Amino acid sequence: MVDRAGLFLPWFILVKMSILGPYSFAGKMKIVEEPNTFGLNNPFLAQGSRLQPKVTPGPVSGPAHLRRLAGKCFSYIESTYKYEFCPFHNITQHEQSFRWNAYSGILGIWQEWEIVNNTFLAMWMREGDACGNKNRQTKVILTCGGSSKLAQVSEPTTCVYSLSFETPLVCHPHSLLVYPTLSDKLQIEWDEIEQARYENLITEQGYNNLLRDIFEDAGFLKSQKVKEKPDITTTSKTHDSLQKCNEVGSLERIQNHS
Ligand SMILES: *[C@@H]1O[C@H](CO)[C@@H](O)[C@H](O)[C@H]1NC(C)=O
Ligand SMILES: *[C@@H]1O[C@H](CO)[C@@H](O)[C@H](O)[C@H]1NC(C)=O
């Protein structure tokens, strides 16, 4: 695990190494003028002014024991890039270079969970920096590991990144179950949906839609009802069909309740 302070350490050491030793006196003179250009050219130090998030992160949600990750950041270096993942906040990418225009960008801002088989699977960070006519986005998959760290990065589709985040916090087989994280009210709704499914009163599609409504109500998924343009690039096939189902499901729910 590397905290934010850890990011700055290597640079600090570099500066120190250049000013200490036999030329320490000359070095001390230099340190006065060096930070000016060093700071401007440094992709990390300049990060605050360079990276402009498009949206504010969604609320912290999901399993209570994962909330302790909020406010922390984890970095991972692969080839010439450093990735920095701040759970429930953002993910950024920084080119490891002293070039004045070294790339530094936002790969996504925390938006919603991906839920598969009633289990939290991944965190979606969306609305990152523009990439052609879409925005970069990143899926961070949670996997069991001995310590909390980023483990892998890939770009399965252009500007859609996939990282895995290893943590001991998800090793227990029940640690990512959705049901126990719900309020009593939503658990009761879920029970009713299970019963309706058991009695064949709803279709599988209707069942999935009603569940999706619960996950939206709980704040785990972003509501698709207010979304004006479905973003094809962000959604898998299942996501698309879920959305279609959602309209049907909502109808059913309205009819049932009226
Ligand atoms: C990313 O999240 C961290 C941790 O919450 C925060 O300090 C930083 O300002 C964020 N960066 C951007 C570009 O949003
Ligand atoms: C879904 O979870 C159940 C039990 O939690 C398991 O038996 C089943 O194999 C899982 N299905 C898939 C597709 O992962």
Side-chain angles (χ1 to χ4, degrees):
M1 183 173 103
V2 178
D3 60 19
R4 289 196 60 82
L7 267 184
F8 297 92
L9 198 60
W11 305 102
F12 181 62
I13 288 168
L14 272 178
V15 174
K16 273 197 111 163
M17 273 163 41
S18 67
I19 62 170
L20 296 177
Y23 309 107
S24 62
F25 182 67
K28 269 181 193 135
M29 305 276 289
K30 257 191 116 183
I31 201 170
V32 179
E33 53 188 44
E34 224 172 29
N36 288 326
T37 50
F38 190 78
L40 278 176
N41 294 345
N42 185 309
F44 300 116
L45 297 183
Q47 181 178 323
S49 54
R50 275 205 217 174
L51 303 182
Q52 294 297 331
K54 288 190 177 63
V55 293
T56 52
V60 176
S61 70
H65 67 289
L66 294 186
R67 293 177 188 198
R68 72 185 73 159
L69 294 173
K72 294 188 177 161
C73 297
F74 303 86
S75 50
Y76 176 67
I77 296 176
E78 184 171 289
S79 65
T80 56
Y81 287 103
K82 178 171 209 152
Y83 297 84
E84 202 187 1
F85 169 52
C86 307
F88 303 110
H89 206 140
N90 60 48
I91 183 157
T92 52
Q93 185 190 46
H94 310 274
E95 193 182 345
Q96 301 292 285
S97 159
F98 283 101
R99 286 194 298 116
W100 68 272
N101 59 349
Y103 175 78
S104 217
I106 299 176
L107 300 186
I109 302 291
W110 160 243
Q111 297 290 291
E112 62 178 347
W113 287 98
E114 179 162 324
I115 295 174
V116 174
N117 201 11
N118 304 327
T119 304
F120 293 104
L121 178 84
M123 300 177 98
W124 271 105
M125 322 291 276
R126 305 191 201 270
E127 308 298 333
D129 287 347
C131 169
N133 58 2
K134 50 187 184 175
N135 294 325
R136 289 168 211 267
Q137 54 178 329
T138 306
K139 175 177 174 170
V140 181
I141 300 163
L142 304 177
T143 59
C144 169
S147 62
S148 290
K149 62 177 203 288
L150 284 176
Q152 258 173 23
V153 60
S154 63
E155 194 178 349
T157 346
T158 312
C159 297
V160 180
Y161 303 83
S162 175
L163 278 95
S164 73
F165 179 66
E166 292 182 1
T167 173
L169 297 175
V170 304
C171 292
H172 191 283
H174 296 174
S175 62
L176 291 173
L177 291 183
V178 176
Y179 187 88
T181 66
L182 293 171
S183 64
D184 287 352
K185 177 180 165 285
L186 290 178
Q187 285 187 346
I188 290 167
E189 271 191 46
W190 193 337
D191 296 340
E192 286 168 359
I193 294 168
E194 291 297 335
Q195 190 186 352
R197 181 205 209 183
Y198 179 75
E199 292 173 357
N200 286 320
L201 297 176
I202 49 173
T203 61
E204 200 60 21
Q205 274 199 346
Y207 168 81
N208 286 332
N209 282 318
L210 292 169
L211 268 192
R212 189 182 165 99
D213 285 350
I214 289 182
F215 299 159
E216 286 182 8
D217 285 354
F220 303 152
L221 302 180
K222 288 210 100 173
S223 173
Q224 294 185 334
K225 288 162 209 150
V226 292
K227 214 171 166 186
E228 60 287 76
K229 46 164 190 155
D231 188 352
I232 293 147
T233 60
T234 73
T235 48
S236 62
K237 278 204 176 97
T238 47
H239 205 147
D240 267 343
S241 53
L242 264 180
Q243 185 169 1
K244 283 192 203 96
C245 300
N246 199 35
E247 285 144 27
V248 181
S250 307
L251 256 179
E252 281 177 7
R253 184 143 98 159
I254 290 158
Q255 282 160 358
N256 287 345
H257 288 225
S258 57

